[in-house]
Amino acid sequence: MIDWQLRTSTPTLSTGEVHVWRVELDMTGSSWPPLLSEDERTKAERFHFARHQRRYILSRAALRILLGRYLACPPRDIDFNYNSHGKPRLAGLHQRIKFNVSHTDDIMLATFVLDSEIGIDIESINHDMDCMALGRRCFSTLETQIMQSLPEHEHVDAFFRVWCRKEAYIKARGEGMSHPLQRFSVSMDKHPPRLLEHLDDGRETDRWTFIDLEVAENCRAALVVESPSCQLLYFHLGIPPFDR
């Protein structure tokens, strides 16, 4: 399991480093909502369940807090641009910093890097899913064949391992679910995680580094970065993380 460094301040982000932050979304505090933009607060008000609203507010505020510390500016002053698939980027003069976030239940992961595209995904494991049936619908032919060759008791773990890698990859590309999941294959083994093939661009297999993240027993997570190598640093956002 990862040894997360508890931090109440943000370290310097250097070239060649990837910073991964863990944030617990079960915190409470009236200081969080004012950090959000007007459109983020409007979106928060649309959530029907209070726990979903709280997680959204905390995740957006935590992202702004971390970016504000990296950029040495107030969190509420950060502006985002969004590509055609909804992936956020920093607006203005701070576009060297690339970032991505994902959360499941009360765990959020946020990752930051300089000058490279990046994606991250975390999923809670659901042992009641028909993983083989879902894999046939969502996975490539090669991935489906590999999964069918595994013992049935390994299907759940293999499914979520592959799903996180695929999700992190399409998020790194900035395309989300618009990118056909059947057109590329990732490895299903625990080590090493990698892109096995891309049916539309053979150069993709050398472009990305895949990394599995051990976060919790009931979760699977993966990170994909546009770099042949990188140094990973793991941090846990300390309490209180309120920047006014």
Side-chain angles (χ1 to χ4, degrees), residues 82-96:
Y82 296 85
N83 71 8
S84 58
H85 302 291
K87 184 176 181 178
R89 296 178 181 272
L90 287 170
L93 302 177
H94 305 296
Q95 297 182 10
R96 284 194 68 198

Side-chain angles (χ1 to χ4, degrees), residues 127-178:
H127 291 277
D128 296 325
M129 288 174 47
D130 187 344
C131 292
M132 194 67 250
L134 190 56
R136 291 190 188 100
R137 289 170 47 199
C138 301
F139 290 175
S140 69
T141 300
L142 176 58
E143 290 165 340
T144 302
Q145 290 172 345
I146 296 173
M147 191 168 175
Q148 287 175 331
S149 70
L150 297 176
E152 186 175 352
H153 69 272
E154 295 182 13
H155 284 178
V156 172
D157 197 46
F159 174 87
F160 281 96
R161 192 182 302 124
V162 169
W163 183 264
C164 286
R165 293 171 185 176
K166 291 176 81 75
E167 182 79 7
Y169 173 67
I170 60 177
K171 290 176 71 177
R173 286 176 56 106
E175 297 170 322
M177 296 304 290
S178 68

Side-chain angles (χ1 to χ4, degrees), residues 33-181:
L35 300 181
L36 274 60
S37 65
E38 182 177 348
D39 63 311
E40 289 170 330
R41 290 195 295 270
T42 299
K43 183 174 181 179
E45 292 171 357
R46 298 189 186 125
F47 284 92
H48 180 72
F49 295 105
R51 67 180 182 277
H52 295 156
Q53 182 185 74
R54 185 192 73 246
R55 289 169 184 168
Y56 174 79
I57 290 172
L58 292 177
S59 63
R60 296 301 295 184
L63 174 61
R64 286 181 170 274
I65 287 168
L66 291 170
L67 284 171
R69 292 177 177 175
Y70 281 119
L71 300 172
C73 72
R76 63 171 58 88
D77 292 345
I78 294 171
D79 291 324
F80 297 105
N81 289 327
Y82 296 85
N83 71 8
S84 58
H85 302 291
K87 184 176 181 178
R89 296 178 181 272
L90 287 170
L93 302 177
H94 305 296
Q95 297 182 10
R96 284 194 68 198
I97 295 184
K98 310 292 185 181
F99 63 91
N100 201 231
V101 300
S102 182
H103 62 82
T104 185
D105 296 331
D106 285 332
I107 300 176
M108 168 184 165
L109 297 180
T111 188
F112 304 86
V113 69
L114 294 178
D115 304 319
S116 297
E117 298 300 335
I118 197 164
I120 196 167
D121 187 57
I122 180 171
E123 304 284 345
S124 296
I125 297 174
N126 182 351
H127 291 277
D128 296 325
M129 288 174 47
D130 187 344
C131 292
M132 194 67 250
L134 190 56
R136 291 190 188 100
R137 289 170 47 199
C138 301
F139 290 175
S140 69
T141 300
L142 176 58
E143 290 165 340
T144 302
Q145 290 172 345
I146 296 173
M147 191 168 175
Q148 287 175 331
S149 70
L150 297 176
E152 186 175 352
H153 69 272
E154 295 182 13
H155 284 178
V156 172
D157 197 46
F159 174 87
F160 281 96
R161 192 182 302 124
V162 169
W163 183 264
C164 286
R165 293 171 185 176
K166 291 176 81 75
E167 182 79 7
Y169 173 67
I170 60 177
K171 290 176 71 177
R173 286 176 56 106
E175 297 170 322
M177 296 304 290
S178 68
H179 189 89
L181 296 177

Side-chain angles (χ1 to χ4, degrees), residues 2-7 9-14 16-23 66 70 98-102 107-114 118-122 209-215 221-225 230-238:
I2 294 170
D3 181 18
W4 301 89
Q5 300 178 41
L6 182 64
R7 296 293 297 251
S9 61
T10 303
T12 301
L13 181 62
S14 302
E17 292 181 347
V18 172
H19 290 187
V20 183
W21 288 83
R22 175 176 177 147
V23 183
L66 291 170
Y70 281 119
K98 310 292 185 181
F99 63 91
N100 201 231
V101 300
S102 182
I107 300 176
M108 168 184 165
L109 297 180
T111 188
F112 304 86
V113 69
L114 294 178
I118 197 164
I120 196 167
D121 187 57
I122 180 171
T209 294
F210 283 63
I211 300 160
D212 285 344
L213 306 173
E214 296 182 1
V215 179
L223 179 152
V224 175
V225 60
C230 59
Q231 179 185 4
L232 267 72
L233 299 172
Y234 300 98
F235 305 107
H236 188 188
L237 186 61

